[in-house]
């Protein structure tokens, strides 16, 4: 949303609302002029406040943008360094784990062979008995 159309709409709404209230209330000419001047001053003050707040928002956005431009590359570099250090630290553990996994796989293969041999031996006597 663009700020300029919003502020124009806000100003138009404030002025239109003020005018509608002023002209719908029964007042004498002098009271109406006094009320108009008072409301005009109040509206000017409100517009000044809105302008000031819009300037503060713009400044805050610029500050945030600059901080993001400066800090994001630093954060990315620190993250890359942390990942590199982590990778280097876990490499010995990773190698040990891979060796242990290979050892376990070899043990499982041996157990499977032994079970297969045991099963074959058990089947052979039963086949001889049936003959």
């Amino acid at each position: 949303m663009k700020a300029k159309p919003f502020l124009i709409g806000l100003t138009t709404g404030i002025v239109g609302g003020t005018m509608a209230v002023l002209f719908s209330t029964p007042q004498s000419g002098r009271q109406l002029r006094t009320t108009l001047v008072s409301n005009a001053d109040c509206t000017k003050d409100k517009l000044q406040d809105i302008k000031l707040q819009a300037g503060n928002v713009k400044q805050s956005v610029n500050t945030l943008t600059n901080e993001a431009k400066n800090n994001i590359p630093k954060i990315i570099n620190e993250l890359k360094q942390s990942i590199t250090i982590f990778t280097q630290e876990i490499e010995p553990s990773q190698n040990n784990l891979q060796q242990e996994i290979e050892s376990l796989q070899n043990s499982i293969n041996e157990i499977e062979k032994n079970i297969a041999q045991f099963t074959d031996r058990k089947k052979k006597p039963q086949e001889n008995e049936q003959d």
Side-chain angles (χ1 to χ4, degrees):
M1 183 167 103
K2 303 241 178 192
K4 189 173 181 179
F6 173 74
L7 292 176
I8 290 172
L10 182 65
T11 304
T12 304
I14 290 171
V15 170
T18 304
M19 297 302 260
V21 168
L22 288 176
F23 291 122
S24 65
T25 58
Q27 295 179 350
S28 68
R30 177 173 279 165
Q31 287 176 331
L32 182 60
R33 284 191 296 274
T34 305
T35 304
L36 283 173
V37 170
S38 173
N39 286 339
D41 291 339
C42 182
T43 303
K44 285 180 186 178
D45 290 342
K46 287 180 182 179
L47 288 175
Q48 288 293 341
D49 287 343
I50 290 172
K51 185 177 179 180
L52 181 65
Q53 289 175 359
N56 289 340
V57 168
K58 183 177 179 180
Q59 184 180 4
S60 296
V61 168
N62 287 337
T63 302
L64 180 63
T65 303
N66 290 334
E67 286 182 12
K69 284 180 183 178
N70 293 333
N71 291 333
I72 287 178
K74 290 178 186 176
I75 292 170
I76 290 173
N77 286 334
E78 289 174 3
L79 185 60
K80 285 180 182 179
Q81 290 174 352
S82 295
I83 291 172
T84 302
I85 291 170
F86 176 74
T87 304
Q88 291 171 353
E89 287 177 354
I90 66 164
E91 189 173 342
S93 298
Q94 182 181 4
N95 291 336
N96 289 340
L97 286 173
Q98 285 177 343
Q99 290 174 356
E100 288 183 29
I101 289 171
E102 288 174 8
S103 174
L104 287 171
Q105 286 176 341
N106 290 336
S107 296
I108 290 171
N109 289 337
E110 286 182 32
I111 291 171
E112 287 175 346
K113 285 179 187 177
N114 289 338
I115 290 174
Q117 289 175 358
F118 179 74
T119 306
D120 287 344
R121 282 189 217 153
K122 197 171 184 180
K123 286 182 182 178
K124 283 184 183 179
Q126 289 176 355
E127 289 175 1
N128 290 338
E129 289 175 7
Q130 291 178 358
D131 289 337

